[in-house]
Amino acid sequence: MKRILVVEDEASIRDMIALNLRLHGMEAVEADSAERALELLADGAPCDAALLDVMLPGMNGFSLCEEIRKKDDAIGIIIVSAKGQENDKIRGLSIGADDYITKPFSVSELIARLDALCRRVNRATAEETGHLESGEFVLDESSRTFSKNGQPIDLTQVEFQIMELFFENVGVALEREKILKGVWGENYFGDVKIVDVNIRRLRMKIEDEPSNPKHILTVWGYGYRWN
Ligand code: CA
């Protein structure tokens, strides 16, 4: 399970973020100040990513970002800034943040960014173990198994390869042609409808309601996106 540090002094926003992370199968570690965040990081299990609000009482989010980076290169950091503070973006990224999000943001945008960040952060480990996670799904490249909430799901090799492509591009709209080339190879000249057929089958296997998919989303006129 991904462990996310949420540093936000406004309790209502912090609660909302933490609740949504938990709903998405992540663990939320909450701090109402930078000082508290540093204590939690020093004492607790390591976090995969941190969400740092800029405006905090005491030490601000930028200083916190620098403090965290002094000790930890691996953790993913997203800076959360108030709307209209464009300079904050450049500043945040220059002191070691990985991404930046502006308030107010949608929960789905935040989750997509966190997923993408955790994917990038875990890439080095993933390449060794071949073990990729996204929400309640786990894809193991060495044993070529796929599971949902710990329950194995049997996939064909093609379906497995489509899932690999999705896991490498969490939240990204993938063109049907790109899926076709990525899975069937550059020299495959078949119809892209084969992609649709496999997506339909994948939905039957992994979605709770295949007709109302929550994970493999259709991007109309373009392709599909893993959520
Ligand atoms: Ca704040």
Side-chain angles (χ1 to χ4, degrees):
M1 188 188 277
K2 295 283 171 285
R3 227 171 112 86
I4 315 292
L5 174 67
V6 180
V7 189
E8 167 63 67
D9 55 315
E10 268 179 71
S12 58
I13 300 178
R14 194 176 63 242
D15 288 349
M16 183 273 289
I17 295 172
L19 172 70
N20 280 285
L21 294 186
R22 287 175 190 129
L23 287 173
H24 197 71
M26 294 169 167
E27 185 182 348
V29 180
E30 298 178 57
D32 60 1
S33 71
E35 291 78 3
R36 180 74 189 126
L38 289 171
E39 280 173 23
L40 288 168
L41 284 174
D43 297 341
C47 289
D48 298 280
L51 209 56
L52 312 182
D53 187 33
V54 171
M55 297 293 284
L56 295 167
M59 184 190 284
N60 70 24
F62 293 127
S63 304
L64 175 59
C65 179
E66 288 177 304
E67 283 302 310
I68 293 174
R69 272 287 174 259
K70 280 182 194 165
K71 299 176 195 110
D72 191 343
D73 285 330
I75 189 171
I77 299 179
I78 298 180
I79 291 275
V80 182
S81 165
K83 200 178 175 185
Q85 305 291 313
E86 260 315 289
N87 287 340
D88 284 0
K89 177 177 187 171
I90 298 147
R91 178 158 174 214
L93 297 177
S94 68
I95 57 169
D98 298 288
D99 202 358
Y100 174 94
I101 194 166
T102 304
K103 282 181 181 173
F105 48 80
S106 71
V107 165
S108 56
E109 184 189 1
L110 176 66
I111 298 289
R113 281 167 185 257
L114 274 172
D115 270 339
L117 181 59
C118 288
R119 260 302 283 129
R120 288 205 299 275
V121 166
N122 288 343
R123 184 156 294 158
T125 338
E127 274 165 7
E128 283 165 28
T129 62
H131 184 88
L132 311 178
E133 287 184 38
S134 176
E136 64 265 45
F137 299 94
V138 174
L139 184 151
D140 192 301
E141 289 177 317
S142 49
S143 61
R144 295 193 83 73
T145 53
F146 188 78
S147 62
K148 176 183 184 179
N149 293 319
Q151 296 297 310
I153 295 175
D154 285 327
L155 299 184
T156 67
Q157 287 303 317
V158 160
E159 289 163 355
F160 190 85
Q161 283 176 268
I162 294 174
M163 290 312 305
E164 280 183 308
L165 202 59
F166 278 139
F167 272 45
E168 287 160 4
N169 297 278
V170 172
V172 177
L174 294 175
E175 214 176 349
R176 290 150 90 220
E177 279 80 2
K178 183 174 175 180
I179 299 173
L180 189 71
K181 299 268 183 230
V183 172
W184 281 267
E186 281 299 329
N187 299 319
Y188 185 81
F189 290 102
D191 194 319
V192 291
K193 284 198 177 66
I194 193 168
V195 175
D196 302 331
V197 172
N198 276 276
I199 292 290
R200 205 174 308 144
R201 216 164 39 215
L202 269 170
R203 282 174 171 160
M204 300 291 286
K205 292 184 178 183
I206 72 169
E207 298 278 0
D208 293 334
E209 276 184 80
S211 57
N212 181 23
K214 295 280 185 281
H215 301 290
I216 303 176
L217 305 182
T218 298
V219 182
W220 292 108
Y222 190 78
Y224 300 94
R225 179 164 61 85
W226 177 253
N227 186 30

